């Protein structure tokens, strides 16, 4: 499976921006704020993991043998 680096970068940026916006906003319901922040945090961590896996696959494809 090919991992599109640009898509992963976009998801990571949107997750971080969303975390900042939700974290600094006033919510009437604290539970909704916590659930939203957890969901955005999970998507940010997932994007980081996919970015890391994509980097490993790219370095493996370069064909350098030592």
């Amino acid at each position: 499976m090919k991992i599109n680096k640009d898509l992963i970068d976009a998801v990571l940026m949107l997750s971080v921006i969303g975390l900042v916006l939700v974290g600094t906003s006033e919510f009437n319901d604290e539970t909704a704020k916590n659930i939203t922040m957890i969901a955005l945090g999970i998507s940010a961590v997932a994007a980081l993991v996919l970015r890391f896996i994509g980097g490993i696959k790219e370095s493996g494809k370069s064909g350098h043998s030592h």
Side-chain angles (χ1 to χ4, degrees):
M1 181 176 91
K2 179 154 174 34
I3 299 174
N4 189 345
K5 212 162 108 175
D6 293 334
L7 177 63
I8 298 300
D9 287 344
V11 170
L12 181 59
M13 285 190 290
L14 287 174
S15 297
V16 171
I17 290 169
L19 276 170
V20 170
L21 289 175
V22 170
T24 58
S25 298
E26 294 288 328
F27 273 67
N28 292 334
D29 185 12
E30 201 64 29
T31 304
K33 182 176 183 176
N34 289 338
I35 291 171
T36 304
M37 289 188 72
I38 289 170
L40 287 171
I42 289 171
S43 66
V45 169
L48 280 172
V49 168
L50 288 174
R51 180 92 160 103
F52 183 71
I53 291 171
I56 290 174
K57 285 185 178 181
E58 278 296 315
S59 66
K61 285 184 180 178
S62 62
H64 294 297
S65 60
H66 296 282

